[in-house]
Amino acid sequence: MPQHVQQQRSSHGRFATRRLRRGAAVRASAQNDRTKRAAAPPMSELVTAEDEETRMWRERAEDNERKLEQMTLQMQRLQQSVDATSETRPNVNAPPPQSRQVSDTMNEDGSDVSPSGNSKRLLYTQGLTLEPELKEFWYPVDFSSRLDGGTLIPLELFDTPWVIWRNNEGEVCAVKDSCAHRACPLSLGRVSEETGCVQCPYHGWEYDKSGTVKKMPSTPFAKNVKVENLVVREADGLIWAWPGEPSRAESTPIPSLLPEGSNFEKHAQIQLDVPVEHGLLMENLLDLSHAPFTHTSTFAKGWPIPDSVKFHLDSGMGIVSGAWDPYPIDMQFVEPCFVISTIGLAAPGEIRRGVKAEDCDKHLRQVHACVPASEGKTRLLYLMHLDFWPWMKNLPLMEELWLSQANQVLGEDLRLVLGQQERMLKSQGDVWGAPVAYDKVGVRYRRWRNQLASCDETKCEVETTELD
């Protein structure tokens, strides 16, 4: 065989051997990669705890958005019901025919135990009407920390629109949210950096804290033009408003909502607008007996149904004060719109039946302020304090956590209370048709409201012996 042929065959053999070796190496590398991937943990296990929490709260937030959409649809249907029945509302100064007579004293089974059996009062609601007497109180309308130098906050109070802001002196100002010129909402404007007045976005008219016009650009200035102003103060981190007779504001003290003792730290402050009459919302918050039936996905998840639920009155603050049995929860109704509850915890997040709140080492204290916005609407302010784990309030996402929890709890209640309100408006039911012993707190609130509207004095006392 010629030598050049032998050289070519030898060269071809070496090339083939190299290709076989490279192919084997590639197949081995691929097999090694597959082995590594099979042995590697799933990507979900590599996600940190913080990422898991972020995903969890994002899913909850999306769920809350869906619930809020449902609530909005319910509110729209409710508004249609209000419009349809507004012309046929009964006289609000007289009790409706279906008003329920409730005894001044009530046994644990709801029976009348008054000595004479003749002492009766009518317990009734007045539809969505807000009694004028309710205006003669201080109401918290927002949190001081939400109002910086350039912020305008619109709100409703007793069917009147207002706008609040801070002037250049740092004072809280509040005027009617309607320009004297063309009724444009002032809350659509801005705070003037030069004057600290609220400036209308339509023609630039500016108003100071008294509601007086200070500037009228592009036209000769007209004197004595103003809008109504609202008496406002700041106390305990809250902005308070007095919607009643201004001369009475100075002589009326602002109630303190802060907990006693130095161990409590504020962990949450939330403002929500609720499409429910504030009295119905108050009565819902004053009722703990519904928790194991209604709040099965939130704070009462897993609670057993007790054989008996009672409320034991004491001489604490407010119109109503006492303790729930068998739950370690103390509760007060403080006029005109505050529900204050202190919850004893056996461990963080754990409520133990059969013990008192004062016997627990850890406590959660919450304040619900149900501010009357308009007929069928409430401006809800929520404050939550803990006397343990002060460092927890500085953790990331805590504000979102508490807001998500508040929306979930409110969503569980709202569908029920909206149903009550619709029945009430259509005269299809009596929300106080058959009160029983565990309705004691709500009954006393409703009696206070009824008395308030019928007394000559601004405030009426409620006997502490009722419903014991």
Side-chain angles (χ1 to χ4, degrees):
M1 181 181 298
Q3 184 175 2
H4 70 276
V5 174
Q6 291 180 353
Q7 289 177 347
Q8 286 179 351
R9 287 185 175 180
S10 176
S11 175
H12 289 163
R14 286 196 301 273
F15 290 152
T17 300
R18 289 174 184 170
R19 284 197 298 272
L20 289 174
R21 287 176 179 174
R22 282 198 299 269
V26 169
R27 288 192 296 274
S29 176
Q31 180 63 33
N32 188 40
D33 289 343
R34 286 193 294 271
T35 302
K36 288 181 179 179
R37 285 195 298 270
M43 286 299 296
S44 60
E45 296 182 9
L46 299 178
V47 179
T48 65
E50 182 178 353
D51 292 337
E52 285 289 347
E53 289 185 1
T54 301
R55 179 184 59 79
M56 178 182 66
W57 291 116
R58 184 174 64 251
E59 291 176 353
R60 290 191 179 183
E62 292 172 353
D63 184 57
N64 286 334
E65 287 293 333
R66 289 190 292 270
K67 290 180 180 178
L68 288 173
E69 289 178 1
Q70 295 173 357
M71 288 161 50
T72 301
L73 292 175
Q74 289 177 317
M75 184 175 65
Q76 291 172 349
R77 288 195 293 268
L78 178 62
Q79 187 62 51
Q80 293 172 357
S81 299
V82 173
D83 296 339
T85 58
S86 60
E87 296 182 358
T88 59
R89 275 187 199 159
N91 180 5
V92 298
N93 295 318
Q98 296 182 348
S99 296
R100 163 73 166 149
Q101 285 190 325
V102 181
S103 59
D104 284 339
T105 54
M106 186 178 287
N107 209 338
E108 294 298 346
D109 63 357
S111 59
D112 182 14
V113 295
S114 59
S116 65
N118 296 322
S119 178
K120 300 282 187 178
R121 280 191 196 163
L122 289 173
L123 185 67
Y124 63 95
T125 59
Q126 301 194 80
L128 301 184
T129 301
L130 298 169
E131 301 89 339
E133 293 80 5
L134 281 173
K135 290 185 177 182
E136 305 301 323
F137 295 90
W138 285 103
Y139 289 90
V141 294
D142 219 308
F143 301 102
S144 294
S145 59
R146 287 184 7 117
L147 195 65
D148 59 28
T151 301
L152 292 171
I153 298 181
L155 59 94
E156 280 189 298
L157 189 60
F158 287 92
D159 284 313
T160 301
W162 303 95
V163 59
I164 59 176
W165 79 97
R166 288 190 191 277
N167 61 20
N168 289 346
E169 288 70 43
E171 300 171 306
V172 176
C173 310
V175 299
K176 191 173 181 180
D177 193 12
S178 179
C179 183
H181 179 211
R182 301 286 294 278
C184 178
L186 296 175
S187 58
L188 299 178
R190 67 184 185 92
V191 179
S192 169
E193 295 182 1
E194 178 186 355
T195 63
C197 294
V198 59
Q199 184 185 85
C200 179
Y202 207 174
H203 298 89
W205 289 24
E206 294 187 9
Y207 298 83
D208 66 8
K209 65 179 182 180
S210 70
T212 302
V213 174
K214 307 304 289 186
K215 277 189 177 183
M216 291 182 182
S218 307
T219 186
F221 186 82
K223 296 182 180 180
N224 302 321
V225 177
K226 66 178 301 181
V227 295
E228 187 179 354
N229 71 316
L230 185 66
V231 179
V232 287
R233 301 284 186 273
E234 283 190 275
D236 297 334
L238 292 163
I239 299 170
W240 297 79
W242 179 272
E245 174 57 42
S247 62
R248 298 180 182 177
E250 291 298 331
S251 60
T252 305
I254 294 176
S256 176
L257 303 180
L258 298 181
E260 297 180 359
S262 59
N263 293 330
F264 280 98
E265 294 275 353
K266 183 173 68 177
H267 283 248
Q269 60 179 33
I270 298 170
Q271 187 274 312
L272 298 169
D273 294 313
V274 185
V276 170
E277 191 270 331
H278 95 286
L280 285 177
L281 186 59
M282 287 283 296
E283 290 162 353
N284 170 267
L285 294 168
L286 289 167
D287 172 21
L288 192 62
S289 61
H290 75 279
F293 302 96
T294 304
H295 299 290
T296 54
S297 298
T298 53
F299 70 90
K301 184 176 182 179
W303 282 18
I305 299 173
D307 295 329
S308 177
V309 177
K310 303 176 183 178
F311 187 82
H312 303 293
L313 293 168
D314 60 30
S315 58
M317 68 180 292
I319 298 295
V320 183
S321 178
W324 285 97
D325 179 3
Y327 305 116
I329 299 177
D330 296 339
M331 183 174 286
Q332 294 89 34
F333 157 54
V334 178
E335 61 182 1
C337 66
F338 305 108
V339 179
I340 303 175
S341 54
T342 302
I343 304 169
L345 302 175
E350 179 184 343
I351 296 178
R352 183 174 299 166
R353 297 171 60 201
V355 298
K356 297 180 179 180
E358 61 187 21
D359 297 329
C360 298
D361 295 330
K362 299 176 177 63
H363 301 88
L364 182 153
R365 185 182 186 272
Q366 54 187 4
V367 177
H368 291 85
C370 302
V371 180
S374 61
E375 292 190 358
K377 295 181 182 179
T378 300
R379 187 174 180 86
L380 175 64
L381 271 66
Y382 174 79
L383 280 167
M384 193 267 284
H385 292 76
L386 301 177
D387 64 358
F388 61 94
W389 290 0
W391 47 266
M392 188 170 63
K393 65 181 182 180
N394 298 318
L395 293 178
L397 300 178
M398 289 308 298
E399 183 176 351
E400 290 80 1
L401 184 154
W402 296 124
L403 180 59
S404 174
Q405 289 292 313
N407 277 322
Q408 290 183 63
V409 174
L410 179 62
E412 290 175 322
D413 279 322
L414 195 57
R415 65 188 186 93
L416 309 180
V417 185
L418 279 171
Q420 285 182 296
Q421 184 163 278
E422 185 174 3
R423 295 290 182 270
M424 182 176 68
L425 286 172
K426 294 181 177 180
S427 300
Q428 295 176 340
D430 182 359
V431 296
W432 283 112
V436 295
Y438 56 58
D439 294 319
K440 184 183 300 185
V441 191
V443 166
R444 287 170 66 86
Y445 164 75
R446 183 53 60 178
R447 282 187 182 161
W448 172 81
R449 262 249 344 236
N450 292 168
Q451 285 188 325
L452 187 68
S454 62
C455 287
D456 293 332
E457 298 295 328
T458 300
K459 302 176 184 178
C460 304
E461 296 296 330
V462 177
E463 295 87 340
T464 58
T465 58
E466 291 176 354
L467 298 177
D468 288 341

